[in-house]
Amino acid sequence: MLAQRTIRTLNQATGVGLHSGRRVDLTLRPAPVNTGIVFTRVDLPQPQPVRVSADAVFDTRMASTIGSEQARISTIEHIMSACAGLGIDNLYIDLTAEEVPIFDGSSAPFVYLLQQAGIEVQSAARRFVRVTKPVQVRVDSMGQSKWARLEPYNGFKLDFEIDFSHPAVDLTGQSVCFDMGRGHYVKEIARARTFGFTRDVEALRANGLALGGGLDNAIVMDDYKILNEGGLRYDDEFARHKILDAIGDLYILGSPLLAAYSAYRSGHAMNNELLRALLAQPDAWEVATFDDEQQAPQGFRAGALAY
């Protein structure tokens, strides 16, 4: 049986929120089978656990946010991406502020925390959502298009193309294809950092965003070049980070997907719209489990996930 997984022991870390700029303590705790990924704001007078799901997302400005205006849990995509990359099905995540810490702007620190806690194989079958027919969302505005699509595929593959029309970005790879069955999430995707432009900082901060952002937790660019002293971690780090985000956004579904995802200029909002469009078409998906682990697609078997 291809089984569900959680972590073996509790683990903790402290950081700051990218958008809030606030200090936050993060605690990861093991969770029983069929729990899913559950976030809790433990700083509130009456903490309310929020289980990740497509319907739990209520704000997608610059990040994926679940909960409510009274109990926001924001910027969850990087830790969700790490959980997807390591095959974590069940996990409690406690926070002392509204935003998951940004750390270095990638999912690598979360991978480290999860691996340090250890991976525990559980006694129930892992449940997948298998896409059975294509589903797409698209926006055409002012002569430009953006879209995201899910299609049937025996595994999980992502193909993303960016278009920022910026000199520094244009010099790098504009598209990335990553297949969970052939690639290595930890080496190829996890270290890709979020990025931003100095020209947008004033407007973002006026709207209460990017208050904790800087060169230590993002790739920062002026109108011409990258300002980070060390440059890029990958030649196509911008596109790889969009893959990282998409993996996290799609895992908010609550189950791993068996599908091919492709997108052009998509973001958190469109990724969530895609999940909702999928769920709104019951004939476009089905639940799948694997009694024989060897029958599962390559990349999802226990050995492949034990990075």
mmCIF file of all heavy atoms in Angstrom, residues 100-123:
data_model
loop_
_atom_site.group_PDB
_atom_site.id
_atom_site.type_symbol
_atom_site.label_atom_id
_atom_site.label_comp_id
_atom_site.label_asym_id
_atom_site.label_seq_id
_atom_site.Cartn_x
_atom_site.Cartn_y
_atom_site.Cartn_z
ATOM 1 N N VAL A 100 3.207 32.847 7.648
ATOM 2 C CA VAL A 100 4.274 31.846 7.697
ATOM 3 C C VAL A 100 5.604 32.564 7.455
ATOM 4 O O VAL A 100 5.699 33.412 6.566
ATOM 5 C CB VAL A 100 4.046 30.766 6.623
ATOM 6 C CG1 VAL A 100 5.207 29.767 6.602
ATOM 7 C CG2 VAL A 100 2.719 30.042 6.858
ATOM 8 N N PRO A 101 6.646 32.262 8.222
ATOM 9 C CA PRO A 101 7.928 32.954 8.010
ATOM 10 C C PRO A 101 8.471 32.721 6.607
ATOM 11 O O PRO A 101 8.328 31.635 6.041
ATOM 12 C CB PRO A 101 8.837 32.382 9.088
ATOM 13 C CG PRO A 101 8.193 31.108 9.532
ATOM 14 C CD PRO A 101 6.725 31.296 9.341
ATOM 15 N N ILE A 102 9.132 33.735 6.074
ATOM 16 C CA ILE A 102 9.642 33.664 4.709
ATOM 17 C C ILE A 102 11.007 32.988 4.646
ATOM 18 O O ILE A 102 11.396 32.456 3.606
ATOM 19 C CB ILE A 102 9.701 35.078 4.080
ATOM 20 C CG1 ILE A 102 9.994 34.997 2.580
ATOM 21 C CG2 ILE A 102 10.700 35.967 4.793
ATOM 22 C CD1 ILE A 102 8.935 34.289 1.766
ATOM 23 N N PHE A 103 11.785 33.036 5.742
ATOM 24 C CA PHE A 103 13.149 32.496 5.775
ATOM 25 C C PHE A 103 13.970 33.061 4.610
ATOM 26 O O PHE A 103 14.134 34.263 4.517
ATOM 27 C CB PHE A 103 13.134 30.977 5.828
ATOM 28 C CG PHE A 103 12.523 30.426 7.089
ATOM 29 C CD1 PHE A 103 11.526 29.460 7.039
ATOM 30 C CD2 PHE A 103 12.925 30.880 8.336
ATOM 31 C CE1 PHE A 103 10.954 28.963 8.205
ATOM 32 C CE2 PHE A 103 12.364 30.391 9.509
ATOM 33 C CZ PHE A 103 11.370 29.428 9.432
ATOM 34 N N ASP A 104 14.457 32.234 3.683
ATOM 35 C CA ASP A 104 15.294 32.781 2.608
ATOM 36 C C ASP A 104 14.515 33.027 1.310
ATOM 37 O O ASP A 104 15.093 33.324 0.279
ATOM 38 C CB ASP A 104 16.492 31.869 2.337
ATOM 39 C CG ASP A 104 16.106 30.580 1.622
ATOM 40 O OD1 ASP A 104 14.896 30.238 1.594
ATOM 41 O OD2 ASP A 104 17.004 29.895 1.091
ATOM 42 N N GLY A 105 13.190 32.888 1.364
ATOM 43 C CA GLY A 105 12.374 33.139 0.186
ATOM 44 C C GLY A 105 12.113 31.927 -0.676
ATOM 45 O O GLY A 105 11.460 32.027 -1.718
ATOM 46 N N SER A 106 12.613 30.769 -0.260
ATOM 47 C CA SER A 106 12.397 29.521 -0.995
ATOM 48 C C SER A 106 11.689 28.525 -0.083
ATOM 49 O O SER A 106 11.292 28.851 1.036
ATOM 50 C CB SER A 106 13.740 28.950 -1.467
ATOM 51 O OG SER A 106 14.442 28.346 -0.383
ATOM 52 N N SER A 107 11.549 27.282 -0.550
ATOM 53 C CA SER A 107 10.974 26.242 0.308
ATOM 54 C C SER A 107 12.041 25.374 0.957
ATOM 55 O O SER A 107 11.730 24.483 1.748
ATOM 56 C CB SER A 107 9.998 25.367 -0.484
ATOM 57 O OG SER A 107 10.674 24.621 -1.472
ATOM 58 N N ALA A 108 13.327 25.625 0.644
ATOM 59 C CA ALA A 108 14.407 24.787 1.178
ATOM 60 C C ALA A 108 14.448 24.763 2.712
ATOM 61 O O ALA A 108 14.668 23.693 3.297
ATOM 62 C CB ALA A 108 15.754 25.234 0.608
ATOM 63 N N PRO A 109 14.261 25.897 3.417
ATOM 64 C CA PRO A 109 14.263 25.820 4.882
ATOM 65 C C PRO A 109 13.144 24.937 5.435
ATOM 66 O O PRO A 109 13.338 24.257 6.451
ATOM 67 C CB PRO A 109 14.082 27.284 5.308
ATOM 68 C CG PRO A 109 14.624 28.074 4.168
ATOM 69 C CD PRO A 109 14.219 27.301 2.953
ATOM 70 N N PHE A 110 11.994 24.921 4.783
ATOM 71 C CA PHE A 110 10.900 24.062 5.230
ATOM 72 C C PHE A 110 11.225 22.599 4.960
ATOM 73 O O PHE A 110 10.894 21.723 5.766
ATOM 74 C CB PHE A 110 9.598 24.468 4.549
ATOM 75 C CG PHE A 110 9.161 25.870 4.863
ATOM 76 C CD1 PHE A 110 9.227 26.860 3.899
ATOM 77 C CD2 PHE A 110 8.700 26.205 6.125
ATOM 78 C CE1 PHE A 110 8.842 28.155 4.178
ATOM 79 C CE2 PHE A 110 8.306 27.497 6.422
ATOM 80 C CZ PHE A 110 8.378 28.476 5.456
ATOM 81 N N VAL A 111 11.856 22.324 3.827
ATOM 82 C CA VAL A 111 12.321 20.963 3.542
ATOM 83 C C VAL A 111 13.258 20.500 4.653
ATOM 84 O O VAL A 111 13.140 19.388 5.171
ATOM 85 C CB VAL A 111 13.025 20.898 2.169
ATOM 86 C CG1 VAL A 111 13.772 19.575 2.009
ATOM 87 C CG2 VAL A 111 12.020 21.077 1.039
ATOM 88 N N TYR A 112 14.177 21.370 5.035
ATOM 89 C CA TYR A 112 15.134 21.034 6.097
ATOM 90 C C TYR A 112 14.413 20.741 7.408
ATOM 91 O O TYR A 112 14.720 19.741 8.091
ATOM 92 C CB TYR A 112 16.124 22.182 6.290
ATOM 93 C CG TYR A 112 17.033 22.001 7.483
ATOM 94 C CD1 TYR A 112 18.124 21.136 7.442
ATOM 95 C CD2 TYR A 112 16.786 22.687 8.668
ATOM 96 C CE1 TYR A 112 18.942 20.951 8.539
ATOM 97 C CE2 TYR A 112 17.603 22.516 9.782
ATOM 98 C CZ TYR A 112 18.679 21.647 9.710
ATOM 99 O OH TYR A 112 19.485 21.479 10.807
ATOM 100 N N LEU A 113 13.458 21.585 7.799
ATOM 101 C CA LEU A 113 12.734 21.390 9.055
ATOM 102 C C LEU A 113 11.947 20.083 9.051
ATOM 103 O O LEU A 113 11.915 19.355 10.053
ATOM 104 C CB LEU A 113 11.792 22.564 9.310
ATOM 105 C CG LEU A 113 12.448 23.902 9.647
ATOM 106 C CD1 LEU A 113 11.418 25.025 9.621
ATOM 107 C CD2 LEU A 113 13.131 23.836 11.015
ATOM 108 N N LEU A 114 11.314 19.773 7.924
ATOM 109 C CA LEU A 114 10.537 18.541 7.822
ATOM 110 C C LEU A 114 11.443 17.314 7.853
ATOM 111 O O LEU A 114 11.151 16.321 8.540
ATOM 112 C CB LEU A 114 9.707 18.549 6.537
ATOM 113 C CG LEU A 114 8.567 19.572 6.496
ATOM 114 C CD1 LEU A 114 8.045 19.730 5.070
ATOM 115 C CD2 LEU A 114 7.431 19.169 7.434
ATOM 116 N N GLN A 115 12.555 17.382 7.140
ATOM 117 C CA GLN A 115 13.493 16.256 7.147
ATOM 118 C C GLN A 115 14.115 16.076 8.525
ATOM 119 O O GLN A 115 14.338 14.946 8.975
ATOM 120 C CB GLN A 115 14.573 16.472 6.098
ATOM 121 C CG GLN A 115 14.080 16.338 4.671
ATOM 122 C CD GLN A 115 15.170 16.589 3.656
ATOM 123 O OE1 GLN A 115 16.038 17.441 3.848
ATOM 124 N NE2 GLN A 115 15.138 15.868 2.553
ATOM 125 N N GLN A 116 14.410 17.188 9.195
ATOM 126 C CA GLN A 116 14.986 17.113 10.539
ATOM 127 C C GLN A 116 14.012 16.461 11.513
ATOM 128 O O GLN A 116 14.425 15.735 12.424
ATOM 129 C CB GLN A 116 15.352 18.524 11.012
ATOM 130 C CG GLN A 116 16.213 18.572 12.266
ATOM 131 C CD GLN A 116 16.574 19.990 12.633
ATOM 132 O OE1 GLN A 116 15.711 20.857 12.706
ATOM 133 N NE2 GLN A 116 17.861 20.239 12.858
ATOM 134 N N ALA A 117 12.719 16.703 11.322
ATOM 135 C CA ALA A 117 11.701 16.090 12.181
ATOM 136 C C ALA A 117 11.525 14.609 11.879
ATOM 137 O O ALA A 117 11.003 13.854 12.706
ATOM 138 C CB ALA A 117 10.373 16.814 12.005
ATOM 139 N N GLY A 118 11.954 14.176 10.698
ATOM 140 C CA GLY A 118 11.816 12.779 10.310
ATOM 141 C C GLY A 118 10.471 12.516 9.651
ATOM 142 O O GLY A 118 9.472 13.174 9.960
ATOM 143 N N ILE A 119 10.431 11.575 8.736
ATOM 144 C CA ILE A 119 9.209 11.219 8.018
ATOM 145 C C ILE A 119 8.665 9.911 8.579
ATOM 146 O O ILE A 119 9.388 8.919 8.696
ATOM 147 C CB ILE A 119 9.467 11.066 6.510
ATOM 148 C CG1 ILE A 119 10.186 12.300 5.952
ATOM 149 C CG2 ILE A 119 8.155 10.819 5.771
ATOM 150 C CD1 ILE A 119 9.433 13.594 6.086
ATOM 151 N N GLU A 120 7.378 9.913 8.927
ATOM 152 C CA GLU A 120 6.717 8.745 9.512
ATOM 153 C C GLU A 120 5.680 8.210 8.525
ATOM 154 O O GLU A 120 4.762 8.930 8.113
ATOM 155 C CB GLU A 120 6.024 9.129 10.819
ATOM 156 C CG GLU A 120 5.378 7.989 11.554
ATOM 157 C CD GLU A 120 6.389 7.092 12.267
ATOM 158 O OE1 GLU A 120 7.487 7.569 12.621
ATOM 159 O OE2 GLU A 120 6.062 5.903 12.480
ATOM 160 N N VAL A 121 5.822 6.936 8.134
ATOM 161 C CA VAL A 121 4.833 6.289 7.267
ATOM 162 C C VAL A 121 3.675 5.832 8.130
ATOM 163 O O VAL A 121 3.864 5.231 9.191
ATOM 164 C CB VAL A 121 5.458 5.103 6.515
ATOM 165 C CG1 VAL A 121 4.407 4.391 5.670
ATOM 166 C CG2 VAL A 121 6.615 5.583 5.636
ATOM 167 N N GLN A 122 2.448 6.114 7.679
ATOM 168 C CA GLN A 122 1.261 5.842 8.489
ATOM 169 C C GLN A 122 0.472 4.644 7.961
ATOM 170 O O GLN A 122 0.881 4.005 6.994
ATOM 171 C CB GLN A 122 0.405 7.113 8.552
ATOM 172 C CG GLN A 122 1.164 8.281 9.204
ATOM 173 C CD GLN A 122 0.364 9.552 9.265
ATOM 174 O OE1 GLN A 122 0.154 10.229 8.255
ATOM 175 N NE2 GLN A 122 -0.086 9.908 10.462
ATOM 176 N N SER A 123 -0.645 4.352 8.611
ATOM 177 C CA SER A 123 -1.337 3.083 8.364
ATOM 178 C C SER A 123 -2.582 3.217 7.495
ATOM 179 O O SER A 123 -3.459 2.352 7.523
ATOM 180 C CB SER A 123 -1.740 2.457 9.707
ATOM 181 O OG SER A 123 -2.577 3.338 10.442
#
